Amino acid sequence: MLRTVLLVSLALLLGACASTDTAPPAPAAAADSALALPIYYTTMDNGLRVVVSEDHSVPTATVAVYYNIGFRIEPRNRTGFAHLFEHMMFQGSENLGKMEFINLVQSNGGVLNGSTRFDFTNYYEVVPSNKVETMLWAEADRMRGLAITQENLTNQQGVVKNEVKVNVLNQPYGGFPWLDVPAHANENWYNNHNFYGDLEDLDSATLEDVQDFFDTYYAPNNAVLVVVGDVDTERVMDMVKQHFGDIEPAELPPPVDISEPRQNKEKRVTKVYPKAPQPALAVSYHMPERNSPEYYAMGIITQMLLSGKDSRFYKKLVKEAGITSSVGGGVNLIGNMYNYNGPMNWHMSIIHDPRVTTDEIMLMIDEVIDDLRVNKVSRDDIELARTKMRSSFYGLLGSSTKFGVADLLACFTLFDNDPWRINRLEQEFDAVTPELILTTAQEYLRPSNRLVLDVTNGEDGSQGAAQ
Amino acid sequence: MKQLRLMLLIGLAALCSAGFARELPPEGGPARDFNLPTIERLTLDNGLRVTLVPFGKIPKAMIRVDVHTGNLNEGDNVWLADLTTELMKEGTELRSAELIARQTARMGGELSLSTGLDQTYLGLSVLSEFAGDALGLAAEVLRQPAFPADQLERLRAGLVRSRALSLSRPQAIAAAAYAELLYPNHPYGRSYPTEEQLAGYTLDQIKHYYRDNFGAQRSHVMIAGQFDRDEMMAAVRREFGDWAAGPAPLTLPPTVASGFRLKLIDRPGAPQSTLILGLPVDDVASPDFTALNQMQILLGGYFSSRMTANLREDKGYTYSPRSRISMNYRTANWAQTADVTTEHTGDSLNEIFAEIARIQGEAPSVAEVSRTQNYQTGTFVLSHATPGGLLARISQMTLHDLPDDYLDTYLSAVNSITPDKHQKMSQKHLVTDQMTLVIVGDLARVVPQLEAVPALEGIERL
C-alpha cells in the first residue's frame, strides 16, 4: 500500500504537476559536472532586477516574480498576514478580476503557484514558451496594483483558515516539526512567531492592512523577475521593458533586525499532541551564517548524517536501534539550504516507538554528533557526501517546471545580487575539508546551541478515530 | 521523433467588464512543436518487457522496474506484500544492505522499492557511467533477495508504526472507509491490516508470496536518460534474460456494491469534516475515458474547475477541494474530496451535489471546455519533459495495455471532446444514487446539518 506523505507547505495549492526527475537542466553538464547555466542579469531604472536563463530543451518557459518580503517580517498583531496577502494577489488587479489570473494561466496550458517563505513571497507560472508575454503582462498588472473587495478578503480569510486547519489543526502532529522548531528554537519574535497565523489574527486583517502591505513591499525595487526556458533573452527584455518599465518604485522601509543571539544553554521543550499515535523528537541547532565556509560544511554534514541509507543517523536509529522507520531533517524546514536569508535552524526529527525514552534516544544522537566533533572524517566520507550533494542539487534543478532553477536564480539575486552563484555552488562544497567539518561541528553542533523538542501523545496515547 | 503540434484552442477569456475598458492580455506567438523522444520497446523470450528511452543531454540514467504484483496478490493477508518488499531491500544473496547503500550512494543514487495495489516498483537513478552496474544491482534485488530473518521484527515494527500514523490522519481514515465500501471483500477494499495480522506474518509466508508472484512475465524494465543503447540492451539480457517466466498477471476485477452508501466516522472536536464522495467508473481502457476524465477535470480536477470556484473561491468552505479518477488494474473510481470547515459540512455537500446536477443538466460552454483542454495540453508537455514523468506514463500504458500510439494520439483525442460529451459523461458515470459518501468529523456538530441535505434524505447510515 503506497502511503502518501502530506507535504505541508505555505502555498496556494494550485495543482502544479508532479515530477520525480533528478536530472539537471540543459545545457549539458560537462564531464566534471560543473554547472554552467547561461545567465543574463540586469537592473531596470525602477529597480526591478531581471534574470533570464535560456534553455531550449522543451518548448516551455517559467516566469517567476519574487518579492523581498517573507513571513518573518509581518506586523506583530497580524500573524499569518504575509501568507494571507499572498492569497490576495490572486483576487484581482487592474485588468484581471477574481480567478481570472489563474484562468488565464491554465487556459494557456500552464501551471502556477505562489508561496510564502521566511524571506520572500514568490509567484510563478510555467507555460508553453510562446505564452511568456501573456504571463509577463499579467505579473506586471498585479505589480501595478490590486483591485480587491471586502468580499474577496472575507472569502480568502475563510480559505486560509481552512488551510491552517487541514495542514495543522486537524493533523495528529499539528505543526511538528516545521512550525514547532522555529517557534521554540529562536528568541527573536521575527523568527519565532506563528507564521501560519493565529485564527483570530487572520480574522482581524482589514482591507486597509492589505493596501498598506502592498504599498510597502510590492514594488519593482523590492522584486526580482526571472524567466527560464525556451525564450530569446533580447525579446524577453523588450517585453519586460514594455510591461514593467513604467511601474513606480516605492520608498522601502529600513531593514528590521532579525538576528538571533548566540545560544549558550541547551533548551528542552515538551509538547503534547493528544491525537499523535507515537511520541516524536526533534533536535535543532542554529546554522552558521549563510554563505560562510562553515555553512557549506553544514551542507556536507547534512548529507553525512541524514541523506540516504548509508547516513549516520539512519544507521544508528533505524538500522541498529530499530526505534523509527526514517529520519527527517536538514537545513530550513520549509525549503532548502539555499532559499532563505537570515538566521536558520538545522534540524533532525523522528517519530519513534514509545518503549524508548527521550534520554535514551539523546544518548544515541549524541554518539553520532560527538563523533563528528571529536574525530576527523575521512576524505572518502566527504567524497561520498559530495556525490550525494550533487545528486540532490541536480534533483532540485531537474524538475520539468524548471522551478528549481528559477528559485535559486531568484534567491541569489534577491539576497546577493549574484545569480551566477548557482554555477559556483559545487565549487563551494568542493572546498570543504575534514578540518573544516571538525571545527564546524565543534562550534555549531554543541549541545548548548540546540533545542531538544520532545513530543508526547498524552497519557492514553489515544489514536483518535478508529476504523 | 514524433512531432506533436501544440494547438492551444483560442478560448475567449471571459473578462467580465467592470464598467471600464480593460486591457486584454497579449496572445503570444505561435506554439513550438513538442517532440516526444523515441521509445524503443521489446519483449524477451521469457516474457520480460523492456523499454528504452534515450533522453536529454544529462549524464544520468533512470532505471525503473515494475513488477505486476502488489496488494492485489496477497489475498486476505493485508500488507504481506509490503512486508515482503521491505525485506527485499535488506540485502541479496551476494550483497548486504549496507554494501548496497554505500554502492548506490557512490553511483549518485538511492534504491527505492515500494508496494502499490497492483504493482511493486523498483527505482534507481544514477550517473550514466554506472548505468550497467545499477541494472545489475536492480536485477539482484529482484531475483536474489536474501530475506534476512534478523531484520524481520524491525521492519514489522515499522509497518505497525506506519499503520498507526496513517490511521491518526482523518484523510487516511476516510480513504480506507471509502475503499472498503467501494470494493467489499476485495484487496482494493482492505487498506490496512489489523495489528494482529501484522504481528502474525512469518518469514515462510514472505518467501512464499515472493516465490508465487515475482518473475519475468510480470516485469517491465525501463531505462531513460543518457546511456549507451547497445551496452544497456546487452546488460538487460545478461541480468534478466535467464529469469524464469513465473506466473502471468493476476486478473481479479472487483465486484462493486450497488445503491447509495453513507458512512460517518466520529472525530470529536475536529475543526473540519473530511469528505469523500464517489463511485466506480470506467477505467482508462474504455472508449469513454478521455471524455469522462476531461469532464471531471472541468468539474473539480484543477484550480479553474467548478468545484474550486464554488467551494473555495466563492464560499471559502475549504482550501483543498479535489476531484480525481484513481486507476487500478481493470477498474477505476471517481471521487470528489474536500476538508471543509465543520460548521459548513451540510452546505458543502449541497454545493457538491448541486455542481454534479448542474453539469448533468446543461452542457458547459465551448470556452470552458477549451480552457480545460488547453490545460491538459500544457500539462501533457510538462509531465513528459523529464525521464521520470515519461517513465511513469509508459508504466501506466503497460499496466493498462494501452496501444503503443497512445501518446501520439492523446492530444487530438483530448481536443476532440465536445461540450455535450461532458454532459453525457456526467449523466452516464456520475450516478448520484449509486455513490458512496464518507464523512470523518465531529459528528455531534455534523449530523444535525445532514437534515438539510436533500440528497441524503431517507439514506440510512452504515
Side-chain angles (χ1 to χ4, degrees), chain B residues 177-178 181-183 256-263 276-281 292 295-296 299 307 323-324 333-337 349 352-357 359-360 425-438 455-456 459-460 462:
Chain B
Y178 175 73
L181 289 169
L182 229 55
Y183 305 117
V256 296
S258 63
F260 192 97
R261 274 144 309 153
L262 170 66
K263 174 103 177 168
I276 303 185
L277 174 73
L279 78 172
V281 292
L292 166 66
M295 179 276 297
Q296 72 90 29
L299 180 64
M307 291 286 186
S323 120
R324 65 165 57 87
N333 73 81
W334 172 85
Q336 171 70 44
T337 59
L349 287 167
I352 290 170
F353 284 115
E355 288 298 349
I356 294 171
I359 196 166
Q360 289 172 338
M425 286 297 123
S426 67
Q427 292 167 345
K428 183 175 170 185
H429 293 283
L430 303 187
V431 185
T432 40
D433 62 14
Q434 296 299 312
M435 286 187 181
T436 292
L437 171 62
V438 174
L456 300 182
I459 300 288
E460 288 292 320
L462 292 170

Side-chain angles (χ1 to χ4, degrees), chain A residues 23-30 33-41 51-57 226-229 233 393-394 396-398 402-410 412 419-426, chain B residues 58:
Chain A
S33 290
L35 195 68
L37 296 180
I39 293 169
Y40 172 86
Y41 174 37
V51 180
V52 186
S53 181
E54 294 188 27
D55 167 2
H56 302 284
S57 54
V226 176
V227 181
V228 180
T233 303
F393 177 56
Y394 283 162
L396 190 73
L397 301 182
K402 303 189 189 75
F403 173 68
V405 179
D407 183 56
L408 292 193
L409 289 172
F412 293 160
W420 294 280
R421 277 195 57 212
I422 197 171
N423 290 333
R424 296 198 311 268
L425 276 181
E426 289 181 75
Chain B
I58 304 309

Side-chain angles (χ1 to χ4, degrees), chain B residues 210-222:
Chain B
Y210 169 79
R211 195 195 55 207
D212 296 344
N213 289 293
F214 281 74
Q217 207 183 161
R218 286 186 176 183
S219 300
H220 181 192
V221 176
M222 292 166 268

Side-chain angles (χ1 to χ4, degrees), chain A residues 39-43 48-52 224-225 233 237 412-414 416-420:
Chain A
I39 293 169
Y40 172 86
Y41 174 37
T42 187
T43 303
L48 179 69
R49 287 165 282 173
V50 185
V51 180
V52 186
V224 168
L225 166 67
T233 303
M237 285 314 300
F412 293 160
T413 306
L414 203 62
D416 312 311
N417 285 316
D418 185 4
W420 294 280

Side-chain angles (χ1 to χ4, degrees), chain A residues 275 462-467, chain B residues 163-164 166-170 172-174 264-268 439-441:
Chain A
K275 284 197 159 62
S462 82
Q463 294 196 14
Q467 267 190 279
Chain B
R163 172 188 178 278
S166 277
L167 290 175
S168 64
R169 297 188 52 238
I173 294 166
L264 306 179
I265 298 171
D266 200 15
R267 189 171 172 86
I439 306 175
V440 177

Side-chain angles (χ1 to χ4, degrees), chain A residues 1 11 106 137 165 319 325, chain B residues 23 82 90 161 304 319 341:
Chain A
M1 187 69 51
Q106 297 194 319
W137 172 88
K165 288 173 187 172
K319 265 314 260 196
S325 312
Chain B
E23 193 185 315
D82 299 67
E90 294 300 322
R161 180 180 308 112
S304 301
Y319 165 68
T341 203

Side-chain angles (χ1 to χ4, degrees), chain A residues 1-3 6 11-15 17 19-25 28 56 58-60 87 91 94-100 102-104 106-111 126 130-131 133-134 137 155-156 158-159 162-163 165-166 170-173 230 275 277-278 308-310 318-319 322-325 351 353 380 384 387 391 398 400 465 467, chain B residues 8 14-16 20 22-23 25-34 57-58 60 62 71 79 82 89-90 97-98 101 105-106 108 110 114-115 117 125 151 154 158 161-162 164-171 190-191 266-268 270-272 302-304 309 312-314 316-319 339 341 371 374-375 378-379 381-382 385-387:
Chain A
M1 187 69 51
L2 283 179
R3 268 90 40 189
L6 178 76
L12 198 63
L13 192 82
L14 299 175
C17 53
S19 142
T20 51
D21 182 37
T22 55
H56 302 284
V58 190
T60 64
H87 279 244
Q91 292 295 306
E94 197 177 328
N95 292 298
L96 291 171
K98 185 184 167 83
M99 275 197 91
E100 287 180 359
I102 293 167
N103 285 347
L104 181 70
Q106 297 194 319
S107 65
N108 279 303
V111 298
V126 188
N130 58 315
K131 295 293 178 179
E133 187 171 14
T134 316
W137 172 88
N155 164 255
Q156 289 304 305
V159 171
N162 272 305
E163 182 180 350
K165 288 173 187 172
V166 75
N170 204 23
Q171 293 300 334
Y173 291 93
D230 177 35
K275 284 197 159 62
Q278 290 205 320
K309 290 192 165 176
D310 62 310
V318 180
K319 265 314 260 196
I323 56 167
T324 184
S325 312
I351 290 169
D353 287 346
D380 200 41
L384 186 57
T387 306
S391 187
S400 62
Q467 267 190 279
Chain B
L8 287 184
L15 293 175
C16 47
F20 59 91
R22 284 196 175 183
E23 193 185 315
E27 277 288 342
R32 250 191 63 195
D33 286 341
F34 169 59
K57 311 179 187 113
I58 304 309
K60 289 198 81 170
M62 175 177 280
N71 302 105
W79 284 18
D82 299 67
K89 284 188 281 196
E90 294 300 322
E98 289 73 18
R106 281 184 208 291
E110 199 179 342
S114 54
T115 314
L117 289 175
S125 181
Q151 298 298 313
R154 177 174 68 81
R161 180 180 308 112
S162 131
L165 291 185
S166 277
L167 290 175
S168 64
R169 297 188 52 238
Q171 295 79 11
R190 296 189 280 259
S191 306
D266 200 15
R267 189 171 172 86
Q272 282 178 323
Y302 75 138
F303 196 91
S304 301
R312 172 174 159 152
E313 292 298 297
D314 186 45
Y317 293 160
T318 178
Y319 165 68
D339 288 83
T341 203
R371 185 167 75 206
N374 287 346
Y375 174 73
T379 49
V381 174
L382 283 175
T386 59

